[in-house]
Amino acid sequence: MTHYDAILLSSFGGPEGQDDVIPFLRNVTAGRGIPDDRLEEVAHHYRHFGGVSPINEQNRQLKAALEAELAARHIDLPVYWGNRNWAPYFRDVVAEAEANGHTELLGLVTSAYTSYSGVGQYREDFEKATAGTSVSIDRIREFFDHPGFVQPFVEGVTDAAASLVAAGVAPDRIHVLYVTHSIPTAAALASGPEFGDGGAYVAQHLAVASVISEAAAPAAPWSLVYQSRSGDPRTPWLEPDINDAIGELAAGGGADAVVIVPFGFVSDHMEVMWDLDNEAVATAGEHGLEVRRVPTPGVHPAFVGGLVDLVLERVDDVPADERPHLTSLGPWPDHARVTSGAVVPSDAAVPAVEATTR
Ligand SMILES: CC1=C(CCC(=O)O)c2cc3nc(cc4[nH]c(cc5[nH]c(cc1n2)c(C)c5CCC(=O)O)c(CCC(=O)O)c4C)C(CCC(=O)O)=C3C
Ligand SMILES: [Fe+2]
């Protein structure tokens, strides 16, 4: 048994009004040289929705759902919620937890895959937030192939394919587009060079997509595509972009319909609402393709239950060979514990990718 005092639901954060948008974007891009015109472009996405990202409300709902699931299973662990880029910030939440006598936190990070954005940045922010405190933060493993994360997508693709078939589309004329956040190719490689050019990041996505397709739409061809690239246009990022992929599919006559599966994200936040529901759906329409967009896990009971299972496997020190995983890449190893500004190796082997991403 490993003792924890509380869970720290850890996420990206988002603006909640027009005045928040630019300070939020400055937080996100601090020191990373994102061109101003791109910042303005992103601000525009938020402005369109009143300056409000849905992500904070989705995390409040996830926190409530986790609390209900923990209570139903008689697990006495309070849930704190903190963000990297907007209030409640990690450093404030860590101070609040410490004041309440909660110093051994288990971080539940809302990133399913291995990348600097989803792993290294959180570790660095945990280090900053715990520096000079008595609080330590452990983190659950990347859960890309955990049944609780995969099941909602299997249901979503199954429903989308059924709805297209009901609309008269032949099952093998549906193309399933698994879409995730593009990252620089160098960052992808750094996420785990032992997995090939795309690193652990691409390998994990390919493995999960194949599991979902086999279960939900075995007759339909599929591909892995990317969204939301940003940064310097001269820097290579993972491709193809989903809009280019839709154009090429239509030009090649390879499909009558596309199913868009945003399996890089756990909730329908801004990047889903704007880049997919707005842009990619329009692109499909322009090319005369039927389109369905599959929901993200959100507060799906399988996802919420799966997160609690991921907490329990750490509390109970469940050995790797007994941990649920749906691909041959899993179960992904645990991380080093962050304590008082330092990373202390945990008992489990920490993969090289964790230390070297990006
Ligand atoms: C891999 C990945 C995830 C998934 C893993 C995870 O979930 O953590 C993710 C999630 C998210 N990204 C988000 C928002 C943004 N990401 C940006 C910028 C970037 N993301 C990157 C990668 C990722 N991002 C990268 C390589 C950049 C380039 C700049 C940099 O080197 O970091 C920018 C700056 C402007 C721009 O460049 O577009 C914004 C505003 C939101 C919140 C949405 C909302 O408000 O609802 C969420 C959940
Ligand atoms: Fe991002």
Side-chain angles (χ1 to χ4, degrees):
M1 291 275 288
T2 302
H3 175 77
Y4 296 106
D5 296 321
I7 293 167
L8 177 58
L9 176 61
S10 308
S11 195
F12 196 91
E16 298 196 279
Q18 296 290 13
D19 293 347
D20 294 353
V21 174
I22 292 301
F24 162 77
L25 290 174
R26 287 201 192 110
N27 283 347
V28 175
T29 60
R32 259 183 259 121
I34 308 287
D36 277 1
D37 53 352
R38 171 65 189 167
L39 262 197
E40 279 309 316
E41 206 182 293
V42 180
H44 170 74
H45 302 176
Y46 289 105
R47 292 250 144 74
H48 178 85
F49 296 97
V52 181
S53 164
I55 196 168
N56 295 348
E57 185 50 32
Q58 286 158 359
N59 280 314
R60 288 185 191 99
Q61 288 178 16
L62 181 57
K63 178 176 183 286
L66 285 166
E67 287 165 342
E69 177 74 8
L70 289 161
R73 295 207 218 168
H74 308 291
I75 301 163
D76 185 19
L77 280 174
V79 184
Y80 291 92
W81 164 52
N83 298 311
R84 294 192 40 239
N85 300 301
W86 201 250
Y89 291 104
F90 287 141
R91 59 177 172 276
D92 298 329
V93 177
V94 163
E96 184 194 342
E98 190 176 36
N100 292 339
H102 296 146
T103 57
E104 315 265 298
L105 306 186
L106 181 57
L108 221 161
V109 177
T110 57
S111 303
Y113 302 85
T114 305
S115 71
Y116 176 70
S117 306
V119 177
Q121 276 191 339
Y122 280 93
R123 191 191 58 235
E124 289 167 17
D125 289 352
F126 286 163
E127 286 176 11
K128 284 184 202 140
T130 54
T133 74
S134 59
V135 174
S136 67
I137 307 178
D138 248 358
R139 186 199 151 143
I140 63 163
R141 62 178 158 112
E142 285 93 309
F143 50 74
F144 59 93
D145 69 346
H146 193 279
F149 177 69
V150 175
Q151 181 60 29
F153 291 114
V154 170
E155 289 173 13
V157 174
T158 303
D159 291 351
S163 139
L164 287 166
V165 169
V169 181
D172 61 353
R173 298 287 299 166
I174 300 169
H175 193 103
V176 185
L177 292 169
Y178 291 94
V179 58
T180 192
H181 207 300
S182 185
I183 58 175
T185 55
L189 178 64
S191 72
E194 64 273 38
F195 295 95
D197 281 353
Y201 188 73
V202 171
Q204 290 167 347
H205 282 92
L206 286 171
V208 174
S210 136
V211 165
I212 299 170
S213 262
E214 211 161 289
W222 62 268
S223 34
L224 175 60
V225 300
Y226 300 92
Q227 64 173 96
S228 317
R229 87 148 280 169
S230 64
D232 188 328
R234 290 165 301 184
T235 308
W237 285 52
L238 295 174
E239 290 177 348
D241 179 81
I242 183 167
N243 296 288
D244 296 339
I246 289 170
E248 273 173 33
L249 260 181
D256 297 331
V258 289
V259 173
I260 298 175
V261 192
F263 77 143
F265 300 120
V266 304
S267 69
D268 287 2
H269 54 57
M270 186 58 78
E271 320 237 281
V272 175
M273 271 168 44
W274 188 271
D275 297 356
L276 300 181
D277 291 346
N278 195 3
E279 291 177 352
V281 166
T283 303
E286 282 158 23
H287 289 284
L289 296 173
E290 283 269 5
V291 57
R292 299 287 184 276
R293 199 272 289 172
V294 166
T296 51
V299 291
H300 189 297
F303 181 54
V304 176
L307 291 176
V308 171
D309 292 342
L310 284 156
V311 167
L312 288 185
E313 76 177 23
R314 295 301 293 274
V315 170
D316 296 334
D317 298 325
V318 173
D321 60 1
E322 292 170 26
R323 294 185 175 198
H325 59 99
L326 296 175
T327 75
S328 60
L329 299 177
W332 206 253
D334 289 336
H335 290 275
R337 183 188 286 250
V338 175
T339 173
S340 296
V343 175
V344 181
S346 67
D347 292 343
V350 178
V353 293
E354 213 270 335
T356 59
T357 39
R358 181 102 170 263

